[in-house]
Amino acid sequence: MTENRSLPRIGVLAIQGDYAAHAAALADAGADPLEVRQPDQLKGLAGLILPGGESTTILKFLDKLNFFEILQEFCSVNPVFGTCAGAILLAREVRNPAQRSLGVLDAVVERNAYGRQVDSSILTAETALPGGPLEMVFIRAPRIVNTGSTVKVLAVRDGSPVLVRQGSVLAATFHPELSPDRRVHQLFVQIVNAAHSQKAHELEVRF
Ligand code: GLN
């Protein structure tokens, strides 16, 4: 991957799952992606994507690499975007079964919650994003069963949120990186750019 300093540098946790598709989507959406495999690679990143995959497997590797706490610290002060397993990792509480999570998104998530026949499916529906209906690819998706009052719901399926935002934390229970539409990644790049200007402004005010 070539370095491009004029674009925001956004990491994609590349331990397990479909991180390569996210890196490609980020490049399309106007960011400079970096696949992150070690804790020290978080240094200097403007944001991070936690991809879909298998959250239990990702957790095991995070523990093995002594990465969990460092990742939690990064996610509590920087923009993060979790898709599917990544959304499970971000949640405050995980059910079915209960498992450890980073706790940076005020939401309760139930794993593999959509039943067998709709285990994996593609839905096209209106969302809060401008530009018309959005294709949403669900693969053994979790269900967001509860959200805190500061969580904005940007899309729903069967009455449950599937795309949510809480400040600079974005989460989708589907896989926007697997559709050609780049609006969700563009939204995340906007969140990252806004957080970056905000930080620069705070520094200006302080000094
Ligand atoms: N079922 C997976 C989990 O519980 C998530 C599936 C996905 O990321 N596509 O971690």
Side-chain angles (χ1 to χ4, degrees):
M1 240 175 275
T2 53
E3 199 171 331
N4 188 336
R5 277 286 154 214
S6 59
L7 301 177
R9 184 136 247 231
I10 300 181
V12 183
L13 189 68
I15 288 180
Q16 188 265 341
D18 72 335
Y19 49 83
H22 273 292
L26 276 176
D28 288 348
D32 178 22
L34 176 75
E35 292 184 0
V36 172
R37 296 191 169 80
Q38 299 291 337
D40 61 354
Q41 290 179 293
L42 292 176
K43 227 185 281 163
L45 292 181
L48 182 72
I49 290 185
L50 306 184
E54 200 54 45
S55 53
T56 46
T57 308
I58 297 174
L59 272 175
K60 261 184 214 154
F61 279 98
L62 287 175
D63 281 337
K64 212 170 137 187
L65 297 163
N66 282 325
F67 203 161
F68 187 90
E69 277 78 18
I70 297 164
L71 184 64
Q72 192 165 39
E73 212 178 295
F74 182 91
C75 293
S76 57
V77 291
N78 290 287
V80 279
F81 175 24
T83 59
C84 208
I88 296 170
L89 290 172
L90 291 179
R92 170 170 58 78
E93 185 187 328
V94 179
R95 296 181 183 161
N96 190 36
Q99 69 186 27
R100 207 145 75 103
S101 55
L102 299 165
V104 295
L105 173 69
D106 189 5
V108 181
V109 168
E110 201 180 301
R111 295 178 61 208
N112 304 319
Y114 281 96
R116 269 214 157 166
Q117 68 281 41
V118 284
D119 232 0
S120 301
S121 57
I122 301 179
L123 180 79
T124 300
E126 283 296 342
T127 72
L129 300 177
L134 182 76
E135 178 182 278
M136 298 181 249
V137 178
F138 292 89
I139 304 170
R140 299 188 67 231
R143 189 191 285 269
I144 297 175
V145 292
N146 194 355
T147 52
S149 58
T150 58
V151 176
K152 274 195 201 150
V153 176
L154 305 180
V156 292
R157 170 189 174 181
D158 302 336
S160 299
V162 293
L163 178 64
V164 297
R165 176 179 176 179
Q166 182 183 22
S168 56
V169 178
L170 186 67
T173 60
F174 59 97
H175 288 262
E177 73 285 3
L178 298 182
S179 296
D181 195 321
R182 290 293 174 241
R183 280 178 288 163
V184 182
H185 285 80
Q186 282 161 356
L187 171 63
F188 184 57
V189 173
Q190 275 170 26
I191 292 172
V192 168
N193 286 332
H196 188 76
S197 334
Q198 172 74 18
K199 265 190 201 158
H201 176 69
E202 279 164 15
L203 280 175
E204 246 170 56
V205 170
R206 232 186 300 155
F207 298 105

